[in-house]
Amino acid sequence: MHSRSYGQNFVEMNRTKEFLIPFVGLKLGKHHFEYQIDNAFFEIFEYDEFQNSDIKVSVVLEKKSNMLELSFKHKGTVNVPCDLTGEDFDLPIKGKMKLIVRFGEVFNDDNEELLILPFGEFEINIAQYIYEMVVLSVPQKRVHPGVKDGSLKTEALEKLNELKVKEVEKKENKEESIDPRWDKLKQLLTDK
């Protein structure tokens, strides 16, 4: 069991080589990295919620004498089915996050904003951080923009609208059929 997960991690590391930053060779100060990611990136993490994706990620790594500060930013689109209609559409997403990297005796990534790397480490793989940042920036409710502006016409939407109309009619009918005894009470209150 243990060897399988190690092997899996090795494959994952291999497939995310471009996200390895060898910080030891960098001068003190800020360094910029740009990445263009698509579905091939998400496949590495066995994540298949997007039909398609096109996201630009920019990372600024600031190397200080005793720590690293990373600022991540992303912007792009993911193609997902609409929750209401099932129609696929490009959903714009964006987000940012910060990560501080310090050095210590043992590796520790319990805190999502602080990573402790063992002394002597010379590179950092940021693929996992990019993956989590992007996935967390996708809203829970995914609604086709055409639903809001009325430009999308689908069977599902027509059904939904019919149901809404019926709901409204039901409510109106309910109000009319108020128990006549209540009217008497109302009169007593207003007669005073």
Side-chain angles (χ1 to χ4, degrees):
M1 187 76 187
H2 226 54
S3 60
R4 196 194 84 80
S5 70
Y6 172 77
Q8 201 174 3
N9 280 353
F10 184 73
V11 168
E12 210 167 272
M13 291 293 276
N14 229 0
R15 289 179 68 188
T16 57
K17 257 212 285 269
E18 63 174 301
F19 300 96
L20 260 185
I21 300 178
F23 55 80
V24 154
L26 300 175
K27 290 199 286 272
L28 293 182
K30 290 186 176 181
H31 304 271
H32 296 259
F33 301 89
E34 297 276 325
Y35 303 95
Q36 193 67 38
I37 62 174
D38 55 21
N39 271 21
F41 173 78
F42 296 102
E43 280 164 18
I44 298 168
F45 298 93
E46 294 176 2
Y47 186 82
D48 57 5
E49 293 256 323
F50 310 143
Q51 332 286 20
N52 219 319
S53 51
D54 181 14
I55 302 155
K56 187 178 178 182
V57 177
S58 62
V59 180
V60 176
L61 179 148
E62 188 172 357
K63 185 176 179 182
K64 300 186 173 182
S65 55
N66 59 345
M67 63 190 255
L68 309 169
E69 277 183 20
L70 291 111
S71 300
F72 296 82
K73 242 190 195 154
H74 74 281
K75 191 177 185 177
T77 58
V78 291
N79 191 277
V80 291
C82 168
D83 289 339
L84 293 174
T85 63
E87 293 287 314
D88 292 345
F89 73 105
D90 282 338
L91 177 69
I93 57 163
K94 62 178 183 177
K96 53 185 176 183
M97 67 170 265
K98 281 197 181 311
L99 176 69
I100 288 174
V101 182
R102 290 187 181 277
F103 299 90
E105 294 302 320
V106 287
F107 176 90
N108 184 330
D109 63 354
D110 291 348
N111 183 329
E112 55 195 42
E113 289 169 20
L114 175 68
L115 171 66
I116 308 282
L117 284 181
F119 294 115
E121 279 293 323
F122 59 91
E123 60 186 9
I124 177 174
N125 189 325
I126 58 170
Q128 180 74 33
Y129 292 99
I130 290 173
Y131 165 73
E132 286 173 15
M133 171 181 69
V134 170
V135 170
L136 289 172
S137 73
V138 178
Q140 293 275 290
K141 203 171 173 66
R142 304 157 184 193
V143 180
H144 194 296
V147 171
K148 289 172 194 147
D149 64 22
S151 64
L152 184 69
K153 301 276 180 261
T154 68
E155 265 182 61
L157 263 185
E158 278 164 30
K159 285 267 185 293
L160 273 172
N161 287 333
E162 275 173 35
L163 288 172
K164 268 188 197 158
V165 170
K166 280 180 186 161
E167 279 291 303
V168 170
E169 281 172 5
K170 260 190 198 165
K171 271 187 190 158
E172 284 169 1
N173 290 342
K174 256 191 193 155
E175 280 165 18
E176 284 162 24
S177 61
I178 292 174
D179 189 323
R181 286 171 294 188
W182 287 113
D183 287 342
K184 290 243 167 61
L185 268 175
K186 271 189 191 159
Q187 262 177 334
L188 284 172
L189 290 169
T190 52
D191 284 350
K192 279 182 181 174

